[in-house]
Structures are given as C-alpha cells and as structure tokens.
Amino acid sequence: MTSTTMQSAAYQVADASSLKAKLAKAERRNKLKAFGLVMPLFLFIVVFFFLPIGTMLFRSVDNPEIVDSFPDTVEALQNWDPSGAPSPPKEVYDAFAGELAAAYKARTVGGVATQLNFQTGGIRSLFTKSARKISTMQAGPYQEEDWKTIFLDIDKDWGDREVWATFKQLGSKITPVHYLSAIDLSYDDFGGIVSVPDNRKIYVTVFIRTLWISTLVTAMCVLLGYPVSFLLANLPLKWSNLLMIFVLLPFWTSLLVRTTAWVVVLQTEGVLNDVLVFTHIISERIQLIFNRFGVVVAMTHILLPFMILPIFSVMKNISPAYVRAAKSLGGTDWTVFWRVYFPQTVPGIGAGGILVFILALGYYITPALVGGPTDQMISYFIADHTNRSLNWGLASALGAILLGCVLAVYLIYNRIVGIDNMKLG
C-alpha cells in the first residue's frame, strides 16, 4: 500500500513538472509571436522616426570638412593666439599651402570654403582664387617657400585676423557654431561669444513669430471649434452626421488646393473684397492676403478639424444626467455650463490644443503662399537652408531647436493639465 502511494505521488510530481515545462514553452512561443508582430512596427519607428531625428541632431554639430581636408593647418592653428599677432605664424601658411593644393586637386576646396563662408562672408571667393593660383605654382617643394609672403601677395586678406579666427573656430569635428547662429550669436575674432550685428539678427525674431502665430491659431481654433463640437454632440443624429461630413470634408482636399483657394478668396480683387464692397461695408478694397491676417485665417481653416474632433469625442461621452442634475438643484444655464459641463470638456480642449499648436509650429506651405516677408515661420528658413543655401548644419540646428520647443510645450502641458488627462474620446 505504501509503495503504491509513493508511485502515485511520483507520477503526480512528474506530471506537474511536465505541465510546467509545457506552460513555459507555450509562454516562450507566445512571447516570440508577440515580438514578431511588434518588430515591423518597431523597425518602422526606428528607421523613419528616431534615425532621421538622430541624424538631424548629429548633423547640427557635425563639421568634418575642414578637419578632414586641412588636418595639419588646424593643428598648427592651435598654437596661434588671435589676441596676439593679427595673422598666424609662418608654420600655419606652410601647412596650409600644401593642403590647399591637395584639396584643390581633390575638389574639396568648394565644400570647405562654403562652410567657412557661412560664418564669414567673402571667404569662399578668397579660397577658390588662392587655390587656383597655389595649385599652378611650380616653384618647388612647399616647405621651402615663403608661403606667408606668397599668400599675402595673392590677397592681403590672408593677413586678416578674422579669416584665420574663423578657420580656427571651425577646426573641430564637433562644433556648436550652428546653434549659436540659430540664436543670433557668433564667435568674435578672439573666441568669445557675441551677438551678431542688428542687420543680421533674424532667427530669434522668427522663433518668437512662430510661437505667436501658433498660439493665435490655436486660440482661434478653440473659439471656433468649441461651439461646432457642442452642436455635433447635442444635435439629433441625422443632423450631427451631416455636420460631421462638412467637418471632415477638408481632409478630402489637398492642403495646397485649400491654401490656393484662400488666395482666390482673400486677394484684393477676390470674393471677400467683392462682397464687402457690394454690401457697402467698405468703400475701398483692403489687403487681406500676403500679411498676418491671411496666414492666421488660412491656418485656422486648415487646422480647425484637428480641434473639433477631440473636443467632440469628449463631449459625446459626457452624460446628460450631470446637466439635468445641476439644473434640478437650481443652477442657471450659465452656471451649469461653466461649473459642470465645461470642466469635463477640458481634456478634449487640451488634446486638441496641443495637437493644433504642434502642427502649427511646423507649417510651411500656407505661410509661404498667403503670408508676406514678415510672416514666414521658422519652417520656411529650415527649408531654405536645406534646399537653396545648402547650409544643412544650420538647418539641422534650427530643426533641433524647434524640436526642443515641441518637447517644452509637451512638458508644460503635462505639468499643467497632465498627459494622463488627455482624452480623444
């Protein structure tokens, strides 16, 4: 009897161990399946989101052209103090002559000169002119020539402190110079950080303008979108669905077409001016486009659905019983709305507000088409440096600062409202 009991207990232990092993194997299999399902999305996010942003952040401080083409010159310049002699010693010119000739033959002079020219105007022409002459000289080995005298004979600017100070400041593969330019600062000839001249200050003003326009557009979207959302949430289903179609209709139209339509409506000979003149509201046609008014109107129209939908989805889930209970306790319509109904819609307003504001920060096409020269936002200058001037370092720095603004808005929102309170329905 005892032997049978012991055998039964052993079988139970073996069965339990086998069951645990099977369960562990099934769990591992399920985890691998889940990992396989998630992996494509993870790779997509890494390749198309984190990698571009990481590349942009790296490009904003990366500066390999000068160090790669002129390593000996950069090293020799480390021993030169700009606060002393206005031009570097002879050793710098000797190293520079050989590397300039080599860079000209390798066709890398243009890239180096362009990078230097972004910081100090006129260096590109100085570089290219001198490179052509140095490369054609057949006077003998570079180290046996008085290259300082030769360079000064080619152009007296080679004795200018500003030229060599710029060369020294950019003689590092990692440099903050693009970030300084993005906030209207620069290095002086002695390595100190100073403000750029007033006629070159632009980016701080543009950032402030971008934040102001985005805030104004967000406020307009709240003022216009809240009543529409309230109607959508409280009208009978038949009329609510019809109104929702009109709200979603802009999504079925190209952004460029919608912006161009506002050009037609707002221009001096456009529809709106015709109506105002015909109804004798105004006697002379007014400028409604290529100014701040046109930018705010067009951007508000385009971004308004992004405000309406989050607010509507929150309002739709508010029980009418709260309003009826408040009224039964003697509350007026205004008191019931302000103290009972409105606080429950704040998460929707917050979600729509942060969505509209962040989208507005990066707008480019609409301000470019309906705004004037003083209405362009920071995205316009990022695109310009990327496509026209090819100053990718500055474009990346501006983009990184814009990304920082977005993160700051997110943190402020999380601090005041709380990201956990954001609701989209």
Side-chain angles (χ1 to χ4, degrees):
M1 190 72 178
T2 304
S3 175
T4 304
T5 303
M6 292 178 62
Q7 288 180 354
S8 177
Y11 288 144
Q12 289 177 357
V13 171
D15 290 341
S17 300
S18 177
L19 181 60
K20 288 181 179 180
K22 290 179 180 179
L23 287 174
K25 186 176 181 180
E27 288 181 359
R28 286 196 300 269
R29 188 183 302 112
N30 290 334
K31 288 181 180 179
L32 289 175
K33 288 181 179 179
F35 182 77
L37 292 173
V38 172
M39 181 54 66
L41 177 60
F42 175 75
L43 292 176
F44 179 86
I45 293 175
V46 169
V47 173
F48 295 101
F49 183 76
F50 289 109
L51 185 60
I53 291 178
T55 303
M56 178 193 70
L57 295 175
F58 177 72
R59 192 68 183 86
S60 65
V61 296
D62 186 35
N63 184 50
E65 292 89 351
I66 297 174
V67 178
D68 291 345
S69 298
F70 296 89
D72 294 338
T73 305
V74 170
E75 184 177 357
L77 278 172
Q78 301 307 311
N79 300 322
W80 172 59
D81 183 8
S83 61
S87 60
K90 178 179 179 297
E91 292 76 15
V92 174
Y93 290 91
D94 293 342
F96 181 61
E99 292 177 335
L100 182 63
Y104 182 81
K105 294 179 181 178
R107 299 185 178 182
T108 60
V109 170
V112 173
T114 299
Q115 292 296 321
L116 293 169
N117 200 72
F118 287 144
Q119 303 303 316
T120 302
I123 289 187
R124 180 178 175 82
S125 60
L126 177 65
F127 253 72
T128 54
K129 175 180 68 175
S130 302
R132 285 194 299 269
K133 292 185 178 180
I134 293 296
S135 64
T136 58
M137 294 182 63
Q138 303 293 330
Y142 296 120
Q143 62 269 22
E144 295 180 4
E145 297 291 342
D146 186 1
W147 288 111
K148 183 172 184 177
T149 302
I150 294 174
F151 275 107
L152 292 176
D153 289 340
I154 293 174
D155 197 305
K156 60 182 179 57
D157 286 343
W158 284 117
D160 191 352
R161 177 188 285 111
E162 184 179 18
V163 173
W164 291 106
T166 303
F167 203 107
K168 182 177 181 178
Q169 291 156 9
L170 294 180
S172 174
K173 287 192 174 184
I174 302 298
T175 176
V177 68
H178 300 305
Y179 282 99
L180 293 178
S181 299
I183 54 176
D184 295 332
L185 299 175
S186 65
Y187 287 112
D188 61 13
D189 295 346
F190 307 106
I193 297 176
V194 297
S195 178
V196 300
D198 291 340
N199 60 350
R200 291 177 54 195
K201 290 182 178 180
I202 181 173
Y203 297 116
V204 172
T205 302
V206 173
F207 272 113
I208 295 174
R209 180 195 306 158
T210 300
L211 294 172
W212 166 244
I213 292 177
S214 300
T215 303
L216 186 58
V217 169
T218 303
M220 292 297 298
C221 286
V222 171
L223 292 176
L224 296 175
Y226 197 93
V228 175
S229 301
F230 184 83
L231 284 175
L232 284 169
N234 292 278
L235 282 176
L237 187 60
K238 179 178 67 173
W239 298 108
S240 177
N241 289 338
L242 179 62
L243 186 57
M244 179 60 75
I245 291 174
F246 287 109
V247 172
L248 297 177
L249 190 61
F251 289 120
W252 305 337
T253 309
S254 168
L255 172 63
L256 186 59
V257 172
R258 282 180 281 166
T259 304
T260 306
W262 278 111
V263 175
V264 176
V265 172
L266 296 177
Q267 62 183 323
T268 307
E269 302 297 329
V271 177
L272 186 56
N273 264 295
D274 288 343
V275 172
L276 294 176
V277 171
F278 179 77
T279 56
H280 301 289
I281 296 177
I282 59 174
S283 57
E284 296 183 0
R285 296 177 180 271
I286 55 178
Q287 184 74 23
L288 299 175
I289 200 172
F290 307 128
N291 53 25
R292 189 68 50 84
F293 177 82
V295 172
V296 173
V297 168
M299 288 183 63
T300 300
H301 166 251
I302 293 169
L303 294 174
L304 188 57
F306 295 98
M307 180 67 71
I308 293 175
L309 295 177
I311 298 177
F312 162 72
S313 62
V314 171
M315 287 181 173
K316 197 67 176 175
N317 291 320
I318 297 176
S319 174
Y322 295 119
V323 176
R324 290 196 298 266
K327 287 185 176 181
S328 69
L329 294 173
T332 63
D333 290 340
W334 172 252
T335 302
V336 171
F337 170 78
W338 185 248
R339 299 186 63 180
V340 176
Y341 189 82
F342 179 79
Q344 297 182 76
T345 64
V346 169
I349 297 174
I354 193 171
L355 179 61
V356 169
F357 184 83
I358 291 175
L359 288 174
L361 281 177
Y363 252 56
Y364 165 64
I365 295 177
T366 303
L369 291 180
V370 301
T374 59
D375 302 305
Q376 301 307 314
M377 300 170 70
I378 195 63
S379 54
Y380 173 86
F381 294 91
I382 293 175
D384 181 72
H385 288 307
T386 302
N387 299 321
R388 188 186 61 82
S389 66
L390 302 182
N391 191 352
W392 294 344
L394 180 55
S396 299
L398 292 172
I401 294 175
L402 185 61
L403 176 63
C405 291
V406 172
L407 294 177
V409 170
Y410 175 83
L411 293 176
I412 293 172
Y413 177 87
N414 186 45
R415 181 86 176 189
I416 297 176
V417 179
I419 200 66
D420 294 335
N421 295 323
M422 178 185 289
K423 293 183 180 178
L424 297 174

